[in-house]
Amino acid sequence: MAIIGRRQQQGVAAAAATLVALMAVVVAAAAEAQPSPGVYPSRMFRAREFGRDFRSLWGAEHQQQEAAAPETGVTVWLDRRSGSGFKSRRAYRSGYFGAWVRLQRGYTAGVITAFYLSNGEAHPGWHDEVDMEFLGTTPGKPYTLQTNVFSLGSGDPPRFLVDDVPIRRYGRRSAGGAAGFPARPMWVYGSIWDASSWATEDGRYRADYRYQPFVARFSAFLLRGCSPHAPRTCAAPVAGDLTAAQLAAMRWAQRFHMVYNYCYDPKRDHSLTPECRTHLHPSSSSSNSSSSSYHG
């Protein structure tokens, strides 16, 4: 799943993330020189219209679909009454999924804007999920991009990219190295909602509805994937091992932008995260969730 870009209300920021059911998001450009990843998955596909691939899931009165080409999309907002969310019309076994996301400037503490994959409705309490979440902030501070993985099925976890730059990479966990994450089909979602209890500095700053509505715009959707009934020969259009240039770009991103890594969190029960002892780059446990955060 991929968010191919993020633009603030005045000014531009971009982010991308991919997974084996691939996810891309675009985040802000850095002051340090960013090495080229050499590969740009977000440029390989043509954008699609929102209504072709998505439907409203909740808070329909807090959505406005846009029909003007070339970047048809949807604007969603949060106020005292409700937030809003949408869901893909189809499930996917694997693929590449992306969108441009424009975030609001100013006071947005407590507000989450998310683009993610999940099969939680089909498998409540025992689901797979891959999240890209922008955590709201206070004036003068950057958004935090949080990546979460819930891997309760079998198969291999995903990899993430930002601005087509890998920021997290997972090693294969299956004995034969052939299975891909997720093992069960997932849907693509987007949403905006109030997470005041934890989203901004562990809940220190909460959503302040004097600044409502909190608005986000999703557009230029990229969905290329295999349906649950596609032949097993159908594969994700962007997959495989990272190149040397991509690995170098990932090391740069982690050095200059990563602010949290669950493998180094002393509060976590690391008996549930054996990958933290065996892999240089954190992966997800099949019985636990993992999280990393980045400032853009």
Side-chain angles (χ1 to χ4, degrees), residues 20-248:
V20 172
L22 278 152
M23 181 167 186
V25 180
V26 183
V27 175
E32 303 83 4
Q34 173 182 315
S36 169
V39 179
Y40 297 89
S42 66
R43 303 177 186 177
M44 298 178 181
F45 311 107
R46 187 174 181 179
R48 296 160 67 104
E49 298 179 7
F50 173 81
R52 177 176 177 177
D53 294 307
F54 294 94
R55 62 177 178 82
S56 175
L57 183 62
W58 59 283
E61 70 282 2
H62 286 61
Q63 293 181 15
Q64 181 178 346
Q65 295 188 30
E66 303 151 11
E71 291 189 1
T72 61
V74 62
T75 297
V76 297
W77 61 91
L78 167 70
D79 59 24
R80 291 183 186 274
R81 294 182 299 160
S82 177
S84 187
F86 55 88
K87 177 184 179 180
S88 64
R89 298 181 183 276
R90 297 174 50 197
Y92 298 89
R93 191 177 71 224
S94 63
Y96 180 93
F97 314 100
W100 282 95
V101 180
R102 176 175 293 180
L103 302 174
Q104 182 167 309
R105 296 186 68 171
Y107 190 99
T108 57
V111 178
I112 296 288
T113 304
F115 193 61
Y116 61 103
L117 300 172
S118 178
N119 50 30
E121 293 180 275
H123 306 284
W126 188 253
H127 73 289
D128 305 295
E129 186 170 324
V130 181
D131 298 332
M132 301 295 285
E133 298 178 328
F134 292 105
L135 311 187
T137 187
T138 55
K141 295 183 179 180
Y143 274 84
T144 296
L145 170 64
Q146 175 169 282
T147 62
N148 301 306
V149 176
F150 300 88
S151 178
L152 298 180
S154 59
D156 295 334
R159 60 186 168 101
F160 294 82
L161 293 88
V162 171
D163 279 339
D164 290 318
V165 173
I167 60 172
R168 296 178 71 183
R169 176 176 180 263
Y170 295 88
R172 291 191 178 277
R173 292 186 292 112
S174 57
F181 179 89
R184 299 174 296 184
M186 305 173 80
W187 286 259
V188 185
Y189 294 82
S191 64
I192 187 169
W193 52 288
D194 187 332
S196 290
S197 63
W198 62 270
T200 307
E201 298 187 28
D202 292 326
R204 178 182 178 187
Y205 297 100
R206 304 179 67 84
D208 187 339
Y209 288 99
R210 292 177 298 175
Y211 300 101
Q212 71 176 25
F214 301 103
V215 181
R217 181 174 182 263
F218 295 79
S219 63
F221 291 93
L222 302 179
L223 278 73
R224 296 294 184 274
C226 300
S227 74
H229 307 295
R232 303 309 298 181
T233 53
C234 181
V238 181
D241 295 333
L242 298 179
T243 66
Q246 287 177 308
L247 289 171

